[in-house]
């Protein structure tokens, strides 16, 4: 920020984490310019939001398809057209999720190089001196960031593996069992890591009413809603009563319902 003649740069002591560059107060036509340092950066939070939602959209149609098969008791009934198109678009959703996750990681790593972060460090140092504290170490905050960053790195690594195995030349070199294990089992693990990554970032902000600006939920709460729904539905489908029935249906078993009898008669 350029320093102009007549400017008065100072730290507003009433604002805990804001640098307040102010224009000359002698001229009433000039407005006070307040530069608020956001935490976290809005762009990084936006990338995280898109990554979580796109990744959840990869596995949500599979859960809907399993529920469809459980309801009709057969695998021979055709899916609705919208669900069929959705399942064919899962690769594109996955690649978009990897792109947004990479952008989120790059933006987060570049955050300390931003000018706003330097102002924020100055504010923290000023507040520490003002409160006469020699040590600003906060144990739970350190653990939160260590866990948050570690889970993010692991989730991004698994997303990279999923993206690489979706390349045709790589997927053709794998057997169906290997490809299914990577895209299904490790995919759900990556979704779990990314969801816990966002939950750890929130930490104790869930009960902080100051996070709900204009009575709207914060970005981290919106980001984890759909992934949590997908993970809960997957846990329900893993219950033995549902898992055995789905396995039987996908092996060709059909429930003796009126709809299945009608479809069998029409096939004959």
């Amino acid at each position: 920020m350029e320093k102009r003649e007549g400017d008065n740069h100072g730290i507003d002591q009433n604002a805990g984490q804001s640098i307040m560059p102010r224009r000359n107060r002698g001229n009433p036509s000039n407005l006070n310019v307040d530069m608020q340092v956001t935490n976290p950066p809005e762009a990084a939070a936006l990338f995280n939001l898109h990554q979580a939602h796109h990744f959840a959209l990869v596995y949500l149609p599979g859960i809907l398809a399993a529920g469809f098969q459980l309801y009709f008791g057969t695998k021979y009934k055709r899916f609705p057209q919208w669900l069929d198109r959705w399942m064919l678009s899962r690769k594109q959703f996955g690649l978009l999720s990897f792109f947004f996750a990479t952008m989120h990681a790059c933006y987060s790593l570049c955050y300390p190089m931003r000018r706003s972060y330097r102002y924020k460090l100055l504010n923290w140092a000023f507040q520490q001196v003002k409160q006469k504290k020699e040590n600003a170490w906060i144990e739970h905050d350190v653990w939160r960031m260590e866990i948050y960053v570690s889970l993010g790195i692991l989730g991004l690594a698994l997303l990279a593996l999923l993206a690489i195995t979706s390349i045709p030349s790589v997927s053709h070199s794998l057997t169906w069992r290997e490809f299914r294990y990577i895209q299904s089992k490790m995919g759900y693990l990556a979704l779990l890591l990314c969801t816990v990554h966002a939950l750890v970032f929130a930490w104790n902000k869930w009960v902080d009413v100051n996070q709900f600006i204009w009575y709207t939920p914060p970005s981290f709460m919106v980001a984890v809603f759909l992934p949590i729904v997908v993970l809960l539905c997957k846990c329900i489908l893993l219950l033995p009563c549902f898992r055995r029935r789905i396995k039987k249906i996908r092996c060709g078993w059909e429930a003796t319902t009126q709809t299945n009898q009608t479809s069998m008669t029409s096939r004959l």
Side-chain angles (χ1 to χ4, degrees), residues 187-237:
Y188 275 107
L189 178 60
L191 180 61
L192 178 62
L193 288 175
C194 294
T195 305
V196 179
H197 168 73
L199 292 174
V200 172
F201 167 78
W203 203 252
N204 57 353
K205 296 178 182 178
W206 296 92
V207 293
D208 187 5
V209 294
N210 295 325
Q211 300 292 328
F212 295 82
I213 302 174
W214 295 103
Y215 303 101
T216 58
S219 60
F220 60 83
M221 189 175 292
V222 178
V224 299
F225 175 74
L226 189 58
I228 288 178
V229 171
V230 173
L231 290 173
L232 288 177
C233 293
K234 181 62 177 178
C235 290
I236 293 174
L237 292 177

Short mmCIF file of all heavy atoms in Angstrom, two decimals, residues 187-237:
data_model
loop_
_atom_site.label_atom_id
_atom_site.label_comp_id
_atom_site.label_asym_id
_atom_site.label_seq_id
_atom_site.Cartn_x
_atom_site.Cartn_y
_atom_site.Cartn_z
N GLY A 187 -11.66 -43.87 -2.48
CA GLY A 187 -12.42 -42.66 -2.74
C GLY A 187 -13.23 -42.23 -1.53
O GLY A 187 -13.25 -41.05 -1.17
N TYR A 188 -13.90 -43.19 -0.90
CA TYR A 188 -14.65 -42.86 0.32
C TYR A 188 -13.72 -42.45 1.46
O TYR A 188 -14.06 -41.60 2.28
CB TYR A 188 -15.52 -44.05 0.75
CG TYR A 188 -16.85 -44.10 0.05
CD1 TYR A 188 -17.10 -45.05 -0.95
CD2 TYR A 188 -17.85 -43.20 0.37
CE1 TYR A 188 -18.32 -45.08 -1.59
CE2 TYR A 188 -19.08 -43.24 -0.27
CZ TYR A 188 -19.30 -44.18 -1.25
OH TYR A 188 -20.52 -44.21 -1.90
N LEU A 189 -12.53 -43.06 1.50
CA LEU A 189 -11.54 -42.64 2.50
C LEU A 189 -11.10 -41.20 2.27
O LEU A 189 -10.96 -40.41 3.22
CB LEU A 189 -10.34 -43.59 2.46
CG LEU A 189 -9.19 -43.26 3.43
CD1 LEU A 189 -9.67 -43.28 4.88
CD2 LEU A 189 -8.04 -44.23 3.23
N ALA A 190 -10.90 -40.83 1.00
CA ALA A 190 -10.53 -39.45 0.68
C ALA A 190 -11.65 -38.49 1.04
O ALA A 190 -11.40 -37.39 1.56
CB ALA A 190 -10.19 -39.34 -0.81
N LEU A 191 -12.90 -38.89 0.79
CA LEU A 191 -14.03 -38.05 1.15
C LEU A 191 -14.11 -37.87 2.66
O LEU A 191 -14.39 -36.77 3.16
CB LEU A 191 -15.33 -38.66 0.62
CG LEU A 191 -16.62 -37.89 0.91
CD1 LEU A 191 -16.57 -36.52 0.27
CD2 LEU A 191 -17.84 -38.67 0.43
N LEU A 192 -13.84 -38.93 3.41
CA LEU A 192 -13.84 -38.84 4.87
C LEU A 192 -12.74 -37.92 5.36
O LEU A 192 -12.96 -37.07 6.26
CB LEU A 192 -13.68 -40.23 5.47
CG LEU A 192 -13.60 -40.32 7.00
CD1 LEU A 192 -14.89 -39.81 7.63
CD2 LEU A 192 -13.30 -41.75 7.44
N LEU A 193 -11.54 -38.04 4.78
CA LEU A 193 -10.42 -37.18 5.20
C LEU A 193 -10.71 -35.71 4.90
O LEU A 193 -10.44 -34.84 5.73
CB LEU A 193 -9.14 -37.62 4.49
CG LEU A 193 -8.52 -38.93 4.95
CD1 LEU A 193 -7.33 -39.29 4.07
CD2 LEU A 193 -8.08 -38.85 6.41
N CYS A 194 -11.27 -35.44 3.73
CA CYS A 194 -11.59 -34.05 3.38
C CYS A 194 -12.68 -33.48 4.28
O CYS A 194 -12.64 -32.30 4.65
CB CYS A 194 -12.02 -33.97 1.92
SG CYS A 194 -10.71 -34.38 0.74
N THR A 195 -13.65 -34.32 4.67
CA THR A 195 -14.71 -33.84 5.56
C THR A 195 -14.17 -33.56 6.95
O THR A 195 -14.48 -32.52 7.55
CB THR A 195 -15.83 -34.89 5.63
OG1 THR A 195 -16.29 -35.19 4.31
CG2 THR A 195 -17.00 -34.39 6.46
N VAL A 196 -13.35 -34.48 7.48
CA VAL A 196 -12.75 -34.25 8.81
C VAL A 196 -11.80 -33.05 8.75
O VAL A 196 -11.67 -32.30 9.73
CB VAL A 196 -12.02 -35.52 9.28
CG1 VAL A 196 -11.36 -35.29 10.63
CG2 VAL A 196 -13.00 -36.68 9.38
N HIS A 197 -11.14 -32.85 7.61
CA HIS A 197 -10.27 -31.69 7.42
C HIS A 197 -11.05 -30.39 7.64
O HIS A 197 -10.58 -29.48 8.34
CB HIS A 197 -9.69 -31.75 6.01
CG HIS A 197 -9.00 -30.51 5.55
ND1 HIS A 197 -7.76 -30.13 6.03
CD2 HIS A 197 -9.36 -29.56 4.64
CE1 HIS A 197 -7.39 -29.00 5.44
NE2 HIS A 197 -8.35 -28.63 4.60
N ALA A 198 -12.25 -30.31 7.06
CA ALA A 198 -13.08 -29.11 7.24
C ALA A 198 -13.63 -29.02 8.66
O ALA A 198 -13.75 -27.93 9.22
CB ALA A 198 -14.22 -29.12 6.23
N LEU A 199 -13.96 -30.16 9.26
CA LEU A 199 -14.49 -30.16 10.63
C LEU A 199 -13.43 -29.71 11.64
O LEU A 199 -13.73 -28.97 12.59
CB LEU A 199 -15.01 -31.55 11.00
CG LEU A 199 -16.26 -32.03 10.26
CD1 LEU A 199 -16.57 -33.48 10.62
CD2 LEU A 199 -17.45 -31.14 10.59
N VAL A 200 -12.20 -30.16 11.43
CA VAL A 200 -11.12 -29.75 12.34
C VAL A 200 -10.82 -28.27 12.17
O VAL A 200 -10.50 -27.57 13.14
CB VAL A 200 -9.86 -30.60 12.09
CG1 VAL A 200 -8.67 -30.06 12.87
CG2 VAL A 200 -10.12 -32.04 12.48
N PHE A 201 -10.94 -27.77 10.95
CA PHE A 201 -10.75 -26.33 10.75
C PHE A 201 -11.78 -25.53 11.55
O PHE A 201 -11.45 -24.50 12.15
CB PHE A 201 -10.86 -25.99 9.27
CG PHE A 201 -10.98 -24.52 9.00
CD1 PHE A 201 -9.85 -23.71 9.06
CD2 PHE A 201 -12.20 -23.94 8.71
CE1 PHE A 201 -9.95 -22.35 8.84
CE2 PHE A 201 -12.30 -22.59 8.49
CZ PHE A 201 -11.18 -21.79 8.54
N ALA A 202 -13.02 -26.01 11.55
CA ALA A 202 -14.07 -25.31 12.30
C ALA A 202 -13.81 -25.36 13.81
O ALA A 202 -14.02 -24.37 14.51
CB ALA A 202 -15.43 -25.92 11.98
N TRP A 203 -13.36 -26.51 14.29
CA TRP A 203 -13.01 -26.71 15.71
C TRP A 203 -14.19 -26.36 16.61
O TRP A 203 -15.20 -27.05 16.63
CB TRP A 203 -11.76 -25.92 16.06
CG TRP A 203 -10.98 -26.43 17.25
CD1 TRP A 203 -10.90 -25.84 18.49
CD2 TRP A 203 -10.18 -27.60 17.33
NE1 TRP A 203 -10.09 -26.57 19.32
CE2 TRP A 203 -9.64 -27.66 18.64
CE3 TRP A 203 -9.88 -28.61 16.43
CZ2 TRP A 203 -8.80 -28.69 19.05
CZ3 TRP A 203 -9.04 -29.64 16.84
CH2 TRP A 203 -8.51 -29.67 18.13
N ASN A 204 -14.11 -25.24 17.33
CA ASN A 204 -15.19 -24.85 18.25
C ASN A 204 -16.03 -23.70 17.69
O ASN A 204 -16.76 -23.04 18.44
CB ASN A 204 -14.62 -24.44 19.61
CG ASN A 204 -13.61 -23.31 19.50
OD1 ASN A 204 -13.24 -22.91 18.39
ND2 ASN A 204 -13.15 -22.80 20.63
N LYS A 205 -15.93 -23.46 16.37
CA LYS A 205 -16.69 -22.37 15.78
C LYS A 205 -18.15 -22.73 15.53
O LYS A 205 -18.95 -21.87 15.17
CB LYS A 205 -16.04 -21.93 14.46
CG LYS A 205 -14.65 -21.35 14.63
CD LYS A 205 -14.05 -20.98 13.29
CE LYS A 205 -12.63 -20.44 13.45
NZ LYS A 205 -12.00 -20.11 12.15
N TRP A 206 -18.48 -24.01 15.71
CA TRP A 206 -19.86 -24.44 15.47
C TRP A 206 -20.84 -23.77 16.42
O TRP A 206 -21.99 -23.55 16.07
CB TRP A 206 -19.96 -25.96 15.60
CG TRP A 206 -19.16 -26.69 14.59
CD1 TRP A 206 -17.88 -27.13 14.70
CD2 TRP A 206 -19.56 -27.06 13.27
NE1 TRP A 206 -17.45 -27.74 13.56
CE2 TRP A 206 -18.48 -27.73 12.66
CE3 TRP A 206 -20.74 -26.90 12.54
CZ2 TRP A 206 -18.54 -28.22 11.36
CZ3 TRP A 206 -20.80 -27.39 11.26
CH2 TRP A 206 -19.71 -28.05 10.67
N VAL A 207 -20.39 -23.47 17.63
CA VAL A 207 -21.28 -22.90 18.64
C VAL A 207 -21.06 -21.40 18.81
O VAL A 207 -21.59 -20.79 19.73
CB VAL A 207 -21.06 -23.59 20.00
CG1 VAL A 207 -21.51 -25.04 19.93
CG2 VAL A 207 -19.60 -23.52 20.44
N ASP A 208 -20.26 -20.80 17.92
CA ASP A 208 -19.98 -19.37 17.98
C ASP A 208 -21.02 -18.63 17.14
O ASP A 208 -21.05 -18.75 15.92
CB ASP A 208 -18.57 -19.08 17.48
CG ASP A 208 -18.15 -17.64 17.67
OD1 ASP A 208 -18.92 -16.88 18.29
OD2 ASP A 208 -17.06 -17.26 17.21
N VAL A 209 -21.86 -17.85 17.79
CA VAL A 209 -22.93 -17.16 17.08
C VAL A 209 -22.38 -16.05 16.18
O VAL A 209 -23.05 -15.61 15.24
CB VAL A 209 -23.95 -16.56 18.07
CG1 VAL A 209 -24.68 -17.66 18.81
CG2 VAL A 209 -23.27 -15.62 19.06
N ASN A 210 -21.16 -15.60 16.45
CA ASN A 210 -20.57 -14.55 15.62
C ASN A 210 -20.21 -15.05 14.22
O ASN A 210 -19.95 -14.23 13.33
CB ASN A 210 -19.31 -13.99 16.30
CG ASN A 210 -19.63 -13.28 17.59
OD1 ASN A 210 -20.67 -12.64 17.72
ND2 ASN A 210 -18.74 -13.39 18.57
N GLN A 211 -20.17 -16.38 14.03
CA GLN A 211 -19.87 -16.93 12.72
C GLN A 211 -21.07 -16.85 11.77
O GLN A 211 -20.90 -16.94 10.55
CB GLN A 211 -19.44 -18.40 12.85
CG GLN A 211 -18.21 -18.60 13.70
CD GLN A 211 -16.96 -18.03 13.05
OE1 GLN A 211 -16.83 -18.02 11.83
NE2 GLN A 211 -16.03 -17.57 13.86
N PHE A 212 -22.26 -16.70 12.33
CA PHE A 212 -23.48 -16.65 11.51
C PHE A 212 -23.78 -15.19 11.16
O PHE A 212 -24.52 -14.50 11.86
CB PHE A 212 -24.65 -17.28 12.25
CG PHE A 212 -24.49 -18.74 12.51
CD1 PHE A 212 -23.74 -19.19 13.59
CD2 PHE A 212 -25.05 -19.67 11.65
CE1 PHE A 212 -23.57 -20.54 13.82
CE2 PHE A 212 -24.89 -21.03 11.88
CZ PHE A 212 -24.15 -21.46 12.97
N ILE A 213 -23.15 -14.72 10.07
CA ILE A 213 -23.33 -13.35 9.63
C ILE A 213 -24.62 -13.25 8.83
O ILE A 213 -24.86 -14.04 7.91
CB ILE A 213 -22.12 -12.90 8.79
CG1 ILE A 213 -20.84 -13.04 9.61
CG2 ILE A 213 -22.30 -11.47 8.31
CD1 ILE A 213 -19.58 -12.75 8.84
N TRP A 214 -25.45 -12.28 9.18
CA TRP A 214 -26.76 -12.12 8.56
C TRP A 214 -27.59 -13.40 8.66
O TRP A 214 -28.33 -13.75 7.73
CB TRP A 214 -26.64 -11.66 7.12
CG TRP A 214 -26.04 -10.30 6.94
CD1 TRP A 214 -24.77 -9.99 6.56
CD2 TRP A 214 -26.69 -9.04 7.19
NE1 TRP A 214 -24.57 -8.64 6.54
CE2 TRP A 214 -25.74 -8.03 6.91
CE3 TRP A 214 -27.97 -8.67 7.60
CZ2 TRP A 214 -26.04 -6.68 7.04
CZ3 TRP A 214 -28.25 -7.33 7.73
CH2 TRP A 214 -27.31 -6.35 7.45
N TYR A 215 -27.44 -14.13 9.76
CA TYR A 215 -28.18 -15.36 10.03
C TYR A 215 -27.94 -16.43 8.98
O TYR A 215 -28.78 -17.32 8.77
CB TYR A 215 -29.69 -15.07 10.14
CG TYR A 215 -30.03 -14.05 11.19
CD1 TYR A 215 -30.31 -12.73 10.83
CD2 TYR A 215 -30.06 -14.39 12.53
CE1 TYR A 215 -30.61 -11.78 11.80
CE2 TYR A 215 -30.36 -13.45 13.50
CZ TYR A 215 -30.63 -12.15 13.14
OH TYR A 215 -30.92 -11.22 14.08
N THR A 216 -26.83 -16.37 8.28
CA THR A 216 -26.48 -17.39 7.30
C THR A 216 -25.34 -18.24 7.84
O THR A 216 -24.47 -17.73 8.55
CB THR A 216 -26.04 -16.75 5.97
OG1 THR A 216 -24.93 -15.88 6.20
CG2 THR A 216 -27.19 -15.96 5.35
N PRO A 217 -25.33 -19.54 7.55
CA PRO A 217 -24.27 -20.40 8.07
C PRO A 217 -22.93 -20.07 7.45
O PRO A 217 -22.86 -19.63 6.29
CB PRO A 217 -24.74 -21.81 7.68
CG PRO A 217 -25.65 -21.61 6.52
CD PRO A 217 -26.31 -20.28 6.74
N PRO A 218 -21.83 -20.28 8.17
CA PRO A 218 -20.49 -20.01 7.62
C PRO A 218 -20.14 -21.01 6.53
O PRO A 218 -20.79 -22.05 6.36
CB PRO A 218 -19.57 -20.15 8.83
CG PRO A 218 -20.33 -21.00 9.79
CD PRO A 218 -21.77 -20.70 9.57
N SER A 219 -19.09 -20.71 5.79
CA SER A 219 -18.71 -21.52 4.62
C SER A 219 -18.34 -22.94 5.00
O SER A 219 -18.66 -23.89 4.28
CB SER A 219 -17.56 -20.86 3.86
OG SER A 219 -16.43 -20.72 4.70
N PHE A 220 -17.66 -23.12 6.16
CA PHE A 220 -17.24 -24.47 6.53
C PHE A 220 -18.45 -25.35 6.86
O PHE A 220 -18.42 -26.56 6.65
CB PHE A 220 -16.26 -24.43 7.71
CG PHE A 220 -16.80 -23.81 8.97
CD1 PHE A 220 -17.57 -24.55 9.85
CD2 PHE A 220 -16.54 -22.50 9.28
CE1 PHE A 220 -18.07 -23.98 11.01
CE2 PHE A 220 -17.02 -21.91 10.43
CZ PHE A 220 -17.80 -22.65 11.31
N MET A 221 -19.52 -24.76 7.37
CA MET A 221 -20.72 -25.54 7.66
C MET A 221 -21.44 -25.95 6.39
O MET A 221 -21.94 -27.08 6.27
CB MET A 221 -21.65 -24.73 8.56
CG MET A 221 -22.82 -25.52 9.11
SD MET A 221 -23.81 -24.56 10.28
CE MET A 221 -22.64 -24.43 11.64
N VAL A 222 -21.46 -25.06 5.40
CA VAL A 222 -22.08 -25.39 4.11
C VAL A 222 -21.24 -26.43 3.39
O VAL A 222 -21.78 -27.33 2.72
CB VAL A 222 -22.23 -24.11 3.26
CG1 VAL A 222 -22.82 -24.43 1.90
CG2 VAL A 222 -23.11 -23.09 3.99
N ALA A 223 -19.92 -26.34 3.53
CA ALA A 223 -19.02 -27.24 2.79
C ALA A 223 -19.16 -28.69 3.24
O ALA A 223 -19.03 -29.60 2.42
CB ALA A 223 -17.57 -26.78 2.95
N VAL A 224 -19.42 -28.93 4.52
CA VAL A 224 -19.43 -30.30 5.03
C VAL A 224 -20.83 -30.91 5.05
O VAL A 224 -20.97 -32.10 5.36
CB VAL A 224 -18.83 -30.36 6.45
CG1 VAL A 224 -17.39 -29.88 6.45
CG2 VAL A 224 -19.66 -29.57 7.44
N PHE A 225 -21.86 -30.14 4.72
CA PHE A 225 -23.22 -30.67 4.84
C PHE A 225 -23.45 -31.85 3.90
O PHE A 225 -23.83 -32.95 4.32
CB PHE A 225 -24.24 -29.56 4.55
CG PHE A 225 -25.66 -30.04 4.54
CD1 PHE A 225 -26.31 -30.36 5.73
CD2 PHE A 225 -26.35 -30.21 3.34
CE1 PHE A 225 -27.62 -30.83 5.72
CE2 PHE A 225 -27.64 -30.67 3.33
CZ PHE A 225 -28.30 -30.98 4.52
N LEU A 226 -23.20 -31.65 2.60
CA LEU A 226 -23.44 -32.71 1.62
C LEU A 226 -22.49 -33.90 1.81
O LEU A 226 -22.94 -35.06 1.75
CB LEU A 226 -23.32 -32.15 0.21
CG LEU A 226 -23.74 -33.08 -0.93
CD1 LEU A 226 -25.18 -33.54 -0.75
CD2 LEU A 226 -23.57 -32.39 -2.29
N PRO A 227 -21.17 -33.70 2.05
CA PRO A 227 -20.32 -34.86 2.32
C PRO A 227 -20.75 -35.67 3.54
O PRO A 227 -20.67 -36.91 3.52
CB PRO A 227 -18.93 -34.24 2.54
CG PRO A 227 -18.95 -32.98 1.77
CD PRO A 227 -20.35 -32.47 1.90
N ILE A 228 -21.21 -35.01 4.59
CA ILE A 228 -21.67 -35.75 5.77
C ILE A 228 -22.91 -36.57 5.44
O ILE A 228 -23.04 -37.73 5.88
CB ILE A 228 -21.95 -34.77 6.94
CG1 ILE A 228 -20.63 -34.24 7.50
CG2 ILE A 228 -22.75 -35.44 8.04
CD1 ILE A 228 -20.80 -33.23 8.61
N VAL A 229 -23.82 -36.01 4.64
CA VAL A 229 -25.01 -36.76 4.23
C VAL A 229 -24.60 -38.00 3.43
O VAL A 229 -25.13 -39.10 3.65
CB VAL A 229 -25.94 -35.85 3.40
CG1 VAL A 229 -27.07 -36.66 2.77
CG2 VAL A 229 -26.52 -34.75 4.28
N VAL A 230 -23.65 -37.85 2.51
CA VAL A 230 -23.19 -38.99 1.70
C VAL A 230 -22.54 -40.06 2.58
O VAL A 230 -22.81 -41.26 2.42
CB VAL A 230 -22.21 -38.50 0.62
CG1 VAL A 230 -21.58 -39.67 -0.12
CG2 VAL A 230 -22.93 -37.59 -0.37
N LEU A 231 -21.70 -39.65 3.52
CA LEU A 231 -21.03 -40.61 4.39
C LEU A 231 -22.01 -41.32 5.31
O LEU A 231 -21.88 -42.53 5.55
CB LEU A 231 -19.96 -39.89 5.22
CG LEU A 231 -18.73 -39.39 4.43
CD1 LEU A 231 -17.83 -38.55 5.32
CD2 LEU A 231 -17.94 -40.56 3.86
N LEU A 232 -23.01 -40.62 5.81
CA LEU A 232 -24.01 -41.25 6.67
C LEU A 232 -24.84 -42.26 5.88
O LEU A 232 -25.13 -43.36 6.37
CB LEU A 232 -24.92 -40.19 7.29
CG LEU A 232 -24.31 -39.31 8.39
CD1 LEU A 232 -25.30 -38.26 8.86
CD2 LEU A 232 -23.86 -40.17 9.57
N CYS A 233 -25.22 -41.90 4.65
CA CYS A 233 -25.97 -42.85 3.81
C CYS A 233 -25.13 -44.08 3.48
O CYS A 233 -25.65 -45.21 3.46
CB CYS A 233 -26.43 -42.15 2.53
SG CYS A 233 -27.66 -40.86 2.77
N LYS A 234 -23.84 -43.88 3.25
CA LYS A 234 -22.96 -45.02 2.97
C LYS A 234 -22.85 -45.92 4.19
O LYS A 234 -22.84 -47.16 4.06
CB LYS A 234 -21.58 -44.51 2.55
CG LYS A 234 -20.59 -45.61 2.21
CD LYS A 234 -21.05 -46.44 1.04
CE LYS A 234 -20.02 -47.50 0.66
NZ LYS A 234 -20.50 -48.36 -0.46
N CYS A 235 -22.77 -45.33 5.37
CA CYS A 235 -22.71 -46.14 6.59
C CYS A 235 -23.98 -46.95 6.77
O CYS A 235 -23.94 -48.11 7.22
CB CYS A 235 -22.48 -45.23 7.80
SG CYS A 235 -20.84 -44.49 7.88
N ILE A 236 -25.13 -46.37 6.42
CA ILE A 236 -26.39 -47.11 6.51
C ILE A 236 -26.40 -48.28 5.53
O ILE A 236 -26.84 -49.40 5.87
CB ILE A 236 -27.57 -46.16 6.25
CG1 ILE A 236 -27.67 -45.13 7.37
CG2 ILE A 236 -28.88 -46.94 6.12
CD1 ILE A 236 -28.72 -44.06 7.14
N LEU A 237 -25.91 -48.06 4.32
CA LEU A 237 -25.89 -49.14 3.32
C LEU A 237 -24.88 -50.23 3.67
O LEU A 237 -24.99 -51.34 3.15
CB LEU A 237 -25.56 -48.57 1.94
CG LEU A 237 -26.62 -47.66 1.32
CD1 LEU A 237 -26.13 -47.11 -0.02
CD2 LEU A 237 -27.94 -48.41 1.14
#
